[in-house]
Amino acid sequence: MHLLLFSNSRSPDGSYLTHAREPLRALAGERRKTLFVPFAGVTTSWDDYTANVGKSLAPLGLELTGAHTVDAGAADRYDLILVGGGNTFQLVAECRRRGWLQAIAQRVRAGTPYSGWSAGANLACPTLCTTNDMPIVDPGGFDALGLIGFQINPHYTNALPAGHQGETRNDRIAEFLVANPAATVVGLPEGDWLAGDGKRMTFHGPHAGYVFRHGQAPVELRDGMAVDQAALPNPR
């Protein structure tokens, strides 16, 4: 498999997918026919979402088709799959309802490159359970694509505003690991991404990430470091 999983789409200056262009160019190679999955979009139409991504990635020469305009049986027409961010619960619900969960998983395991950001990165995980999103719809189950054997927490930060008394992100991840002690979570800060073949994933970006496991101190990840696959459950 060929996977490229980003924490986020917008840079601190507000630019859209600019930090993702060169990694995406390398992933795409000569591929142009691209399936874009816009179902995580809630406050924008899926037509507009597809158009905006196409505009931002125009320098790559990709030909985007929105997954909402074709059925899942058309998956084999495309040689690159992109999945946008937004609400992970809606993304999984729509992919499941329309048959895209199975179709995408089959194509990616057959060699079609996959990239997603935020909710699209969550979709590559075994489950959606480490998303930061509110459950605005019933996803029909928490299982996702299972392309990797660990969970991602995108937009990772452990910062709290002054005076805020709620749980930190580390607290929330610790709760997940108490309930799921065999799981592993990678905290992926904004501006960072993971790349690899599913079995071996490498961390990239300017900010330190972290690997969380039940009963263990978080392990820091830096640019170029591999997530320790030997300690992770095997992808399905």
Side-chain angles (χ1 to χ4, degrees), residues 187-202:
L188 194 62
E190 292 189 346
D192 294 340
W193 65 94
L194 297 167
D197 62 6
K199 293 182 179 179
R200 183 177 177 84
M201 300 295 291
T202 304

Side-chain angles (χ1 to χ4, degrees), residues 83-107:
V83 183
N87 186 278
T88 310
F89 290 89
Q90 177 167 287
L91 172 62
V92 172
E94 290 294 332
C95 282
R96 191 186 311 282
R97 183 174 73 84
R98 296 165 183 262
W100 280 112
L101 279 183
Q102 182 177 3
I104 291 172
Q106 288 176 345
R107 293 300 299 163

